[in-house]
Amino acid sequence: MRALPTLAVVGATGAVGTVMCQLLSARRNVWGEIRLFASERSVGRRVRCRGEELTVQALTPEAFDGVDVAMFDVPDEVSAEWAPIAVARGAVVVDNSAAFRMDRDVPLVVPEVNPDQVRHRPRGILANGTCTTLAMIVAIAPLHREYGLRELVLASYQAASGAGQVGADALHAQLGKVAGDRMLGARPGDVRQAVGDELGPFPAPLALNVVPWAGGLADDGWSSDEVELRNETRKILGLPDLKVSATCVRVPVVTGHSVAVHAVFATEVDAEEAREVLRNAPGVIMVDDPATGEFPMPIDAVGTDPTWVGRLRRALDDPRALDFFITGDNLRKGAALNTTQIAELVAKELTPR
């Protein structure tokens, strides 16, 4: 019988790669050998994964020899260069960067939504969506199947760690500077003055503030994160003409992306029926009791796998529309977990029964 497939984790020492290793230790084991790769500065480090200490290796073409599946969490340009190399050496690549997401020959996979797409990989690459899309889509998809989605109006509340470890570090540093001064936030410019020039990856202070921007500059004043939410939702759901309008906002939360959703459907909706649809949806947990203060919030969702959904109600002015709030751990389902789940689907395909 064929041995269990060999897995490579590329970017194993980053914020998401670290969570990947934690998940590999906690989830059902479907892998034989596991190899860890990272940048030169991390080569030689020892990382605990699946109960053993593994040495981080340098990224070379030969390092992929014998690898069946490779999970990538590296910058776009690194994925663009190295994913085809891994495929040429015989691996199926599951990539968490933006390098291949909108490539027509690369499926954008969410196992709870379109697992069948895993088998259609002409380039040998499977893409993972952005963390904000993934937090939202596992709740949107079952409602679409029930009612037929026509339009989405979204406002995201994105955590600092969505910009990487440097984002989380910047928020903590800024919080340290403003902590204890109860006068801050009372006068124009006082928070900027207290934080100084150490903004990290953000265009303005994040502590005691919200920044209505996430991502790079796209066309016509849109941010790249907003455009990605639109394009990825269309691709995952197979709705190329879906109307999607998003405003992405960075908030002073370490981990946990949230989205306020206004969803318009083809048919009239009932709030209690929609709750039942979501209660039975894989990867979703309902937290929805405003009378007792039970809401989906990032401080509760952090470190957990499901998408938390609540504040669900039928729109006041449109019987075909629902409004609800979603939150999820952007380092888990929003990145490491979804990548791991896709890789496990490939492992199942490669492992004989």
Side-chain angles (χ1 to χ4, degrees):
M1 179 177 290
R2 189 180 189 275
L4 293 176
T6 295
L7 174 71
V9 180
V10 182
T13 58
V16 174
T18 299
V19 178
M20 286 179 179
C21 290
Q22 294 170 359
L23 290 169
L24 290 170
S25 300
R27 294 175 65 81
R28 185 174 68 89
N29 182 42
V30 298
W31 304 106
E33 180 188 358
I34 295 178
R35 305 178 193 175
L36 306 184
F37 302 101
S39 61
E40 286 295 332
R41 65 179 178 274
S42 295
V43 170
R45 278 181 53 180
R46 302 281 289 175
V47 174
R48 190 161 188 81
C49 182
R50 204 179 51 174
E52 53 185 324
E53 296 287 333
L54 301 178
T55 301
V56 176
Q57 303 177 41
L59 198 57
T60 65
E62 295 76 20
F64 289 105
D65 289 346
V67 170
D68 297 293
V69 182
M71 300 194 301
F72 275 63
D73 183 67
V74 291
D76 297 356
E77 62 275 12
V78 178
S79 282
E81 177 184 358
W82 283 94
I85 293 173
V87 171
R89 294 278 174 163
V92 175
V93 169
V94 184
D95 182 47
N96 191 43
S97 81
F100 303 100
R101 284 174 184 151
M102 299 315 298
D103 188 315
R104 65 190 308 171
D105 291 325
V106 176
L108 188 56
V109 179
V110 182
E112 295 90 344
V113 180
N114 58 350
D116 55 300
Q117 291 296 306
V118 167
R119 294 183 177 272
H120 308 292
R121 45 177 193 266
R123 295 193 60 182
I125 300 170
L126 301 166
N128 199 39
T130 59
C131 41
T132 314
T133 302
L134 292 171
M136 176 192 72
I137 203 70
V138 293
I140 293 293
L143 293 173
H144 164 57
R145 287 192 290 268
E146 187 73 19
Y147 302 114
L149 186 62
R150 291 295 180 266
E151 183 177 354
L152 287 173
V153 180
L154 310 170
S156 74
Y157 305 77
Q158 296 177 216
S161 60
Q165 187 61 48
V166 65
D169 291 343
L171 175 59
H172 280 298
Q174 292 176 20
L175 290 172
K177 290 182 176 182
V178 303
D181 188 343
R182 296 193 177 187
M183 297 303 295
L184 284 176
R187 301 181 308 279
D190 59 355
V191 173
R192 290 184 182 274
Q193 185 175 6
V195 169
D197 296 330
E198 297 181 13
L199 300 178
F202 312 118
L206 194 55
L208 304 182
N209 194 27
V210 297
V211 180
W213 189 262
L217 181 62
D219 294 337
D220 299 322
W222 293 94
S223 79
S224 58
D225 279 27
E226 292 160 352
V227 175
E228 286 169 350
L229 258 175
R230 174 179 182 262
N231 293 342
E232 292 177 18
T233 299
R234 287 175 158 191
K235 184 173 180 179
I236 293 167
L237 296 179
L239 297 173
D241 299 319
L242 180 68
K243 295 180 180 179
V244 182
S245 182
T247 299
C248 290
V249 181
R250 193 74 71 179
V251 296
V253 170
V254 177
T255 301
H257 284 1
S258 304
V259 186
V261 179
H262 177 79
V264 182
F265 299 94
T267 60
E268 186 170 332
V269 296
D270 177 82
E272 190 51 48
E273 288 179 359
R275 287 189 187 93
E276 192 62 25
V277 169
L278 291 169
R279 288 189 190 102
N280 294 318
V284 173
I285 182 170
M286 287 294 296
V287 184
D288 195 10
D289 190 355
T292 60
E294 293 290 333
F295 314 114
M297 295 180 284
I299 59 169
D300 301 315
V302 63
T304 70
D305 291 341
T307 288
W308 295 41
V309 183
R311 292 298 326 279
L312 189 146
R313 64 269 189 214
R314 192 166 80 167
L316 293 174
D317 300 316
D318 188 345
R320 301 170 304 130
L322 290 171
D323 289 278
F324 50 98
F325 193 80
I326 291 170
T327 193
D329 187 319
N330 54 292
L331 299 180
R332 293 180 75 89
K333 183 56 181 175
L337 175 60
N338 201 71
T339 306
T340 302
Q341 288 175 305
I342 297 170
E344 289 172 349
L345 290 176
V346 180
K348 183 178 181 180
E349 174 189 327
L350 298 177
T351 304
R353 297 180 179 179

